[in-house]
Structures are given as C-alpha cells and as structure tokens.
Amino acid sequence: MPLSAKQQLIADNKTRFRVVLAGRRGGKTFLAMREACRFASHPNSMVWMLANSRQQIKSLCWTKLKNKLNSLNWVADTNESELTIKLVNGSMICLKSAEQGDNLRGESLDFIVLDEFCDIDLEEIWSQIIRPSLADKKGHALFTGTPKAGNQAARDLYDNHLTKKNWASFSYTTADGGFVDEDEIEQARQDLSPKVFSQEYLANWENFA
C-alpha cells in the first residue's frame, strides 16, 4: 500500500499514540488500513478498527480490507456478520463500532484505529473502554479524522502531545494526501465558505459560533 510523503512520515513514527487530522478525501482511512495490516503482520495479534457506527466502519473499510488481504494471501477465514478477518499467522482484524458500547470491554488489544475520532464519544469509548484494553500488551492506538467544530474533547486529544509522553500529533491537507487534484480543490475553495474550506480541506480547527 503506497503512501504519500505526509502519510509515510506518520507511518514511520513509532510513538505509541498517534493522532492524525487530515483534509477530506486525504487518504486517512487508507493510512489506517495500512497500519492495521502492519500490526496484524505480527503473529497472534488482536487489531481493531473502530468508527462511530457499524455502517460507517463497514462502508469505509470492509471490502477494501478483504480484497487487499486476499491479494496478499494473508486470509485464513472471514466472518461477514461479525466483520472479522482471521489471518494465516493467527492474528485477527476486527471492525467495531462505538454503538457497541460496553460490549467492547474485555478484549486485550495490540493495536486499534479510531477512525473519524471526532465523531466518537471519547470520554466513554476511549477513556473508559479502549484505553484500559491496551494496558497489558502496551498496545498502540491511531486516531484519524477531520476536525469538527466545537468538539473540545477531540481537540484536547490532539493536544496531548504538548504535555504527555508517548503521544504524537500530525496534520495534513487534502492536497497533501494526493488523491484530489488541484483544480477540484480550487473549485471547493470557491464553492465553500472560508471556515468550512479551512476545516474540511486544510484540516484546521475552526469555531463556527
């Protein structure tokens, strides 16, 4: 899975907790899937990809992830109803949703992606449920998303690197992702208000109040 220069910088960073803000269509879910596969390449690992809803995580990742892993001959078995993929090395990749709430408790995780983390109730899902699940294995986490106006919890998470060890934060624009051409980005700049364009395409925190 080739990455852009900005994405490669993030993939090469070995910090335990990484927070990534990216512009729309900037390839953040592509980066998340690649990182999930990288951690799952270690035998007998438990890897989760989580989004706010089951439909969201399924539409974002399921088919693409299956196709990629099948092309690599990594797949031992898939469960369509549970959205799980068992690899030939004994690892599991599981797609989860924040809707499952307390049902997410109990698993010991090596790695988790929280995709579109600005849409997730971070106090409940991250602080109370997911973070303790990483404790015994000292598991890693990758947060990916586009900024969301007014979400102070998400902004505080992004700022963790300023005061806490083992945290790193990154930001890149839609243009940096390399999936949207310059003409389309310029058209969006003309079509959208400056604040909306700044948030959605430049991955900046904006206040719409």
Side-chain angles (χ1 to χ4, degrees):
M1 294 183 179
L3 298 175
S4 69
K6 292 282 189 179
Q7 292 170 326
Q8 192 64 56
L9 182 68
I10 298 165
D12 290 341
N13 187 286
K14 305 307 179 187
T15 305
R16 186 178 178 192
F17 304 117
R18 293 169 293 166
V19 185
V20 179
L21 292 177
R24 295 286 293 275
R25 312 310 305 160
K28 53 188 177 292
T29 302
F30 181 77
L31 170 65
M33 288 192 294
R34 182 189 183 279
E35 287 297 278
C37 292
R38 181 169 71 86
F39 277 87
S41 69
H42 301 287
N44 303 310
S45 294
M46 179 59 71
V47 172
W48 282 10
M49 299 188 70
L50 181 144
N52 194 46
S53 71
R54 174 185 168 88
Q55 183 56 44
Q56 184 181 33
I57 194 65
K58 183 178 181 180
S59 63
L60 285 171
C61 301
W62 182 242
T63 300
K64 295 175 184 176
L65 192 60
K66 279 193 307 177
N67 291 344
K68 183 60 181 179
L69 292 171
N70 276 314
S71 73
L72 297 172
N73 295 316
W74 283 18
V75 177
D77 187 38
T78 59
N79 187 315
E80 294 284 339
S81 61
E82 296 293 329
L83 300 182
T84 60
I85 303 173
K86 183 175 181 180
L87 306 186
V88 295
N89 68 354
S91 293
M92 294 284 293
I93 300 179
C94 307
L95 273 57
K96 300 287 184 176
S97 82
E99 297 167 321
Q100 293 172 271
D102 283 340
N103 291 331
L104 298 171
R105 295 179 183 269
E107 189 62 76
S108 178
L109 303 178
D110 294 278
F111 178 67
I112 184 169
V113 173
L114 290 90
D115 201 13
E116 298 298 348
F117 74 96
C118 293
D119 294 329
I120 295 172
D121 183 343
L122 295 169
E123 178 59 34
E124 177 188 3
I125 300 302
W126 166 246
S127 299
Q128 299 178 28
I129 298 175
I130 299 302
R131 179 60 182 87
S133 297
L134 300 169
D136 56 331
K137 294 182 176 180
K138 294 186 177 180
H140 288 232
L142 174 68
F143 302 81
T144 61
T146 300
K148 189 172 184 179
N151 190 332
Q152 189 60 47
R155 185 158 191 174
D156 288 345
L157 192 82
Y158 181 80
D159 288 340
N160 273 345
H161 72 284
L162 299 174
T163 57
K164 299 178 181 179
K165 65 179 183 179
N166 295 320
W167 285 84
S169 294
F170 307 86
S171 177
Y172 67 91
T173 67
T174 297
D176 291 331
F179 292 93
V180 182
D181 63 40
E182 293 181 5
D183 289 344
E184 175 59 24
I185 293 172
E186 181 56 36
Q187 183 65 55
R189 188 191 302 273
Q190 296 176 33
D191 293 342
L192 303 174
S193 72
K195 283 191 174 183
V196 170
F197 181 82
S198 177
Q199 175 178 280
E200 300 298 326
Y201 283 78
L202 303 182
N204 292 324
W205 296 104
E206 293 291 345
N207 184 352
F208 290 90

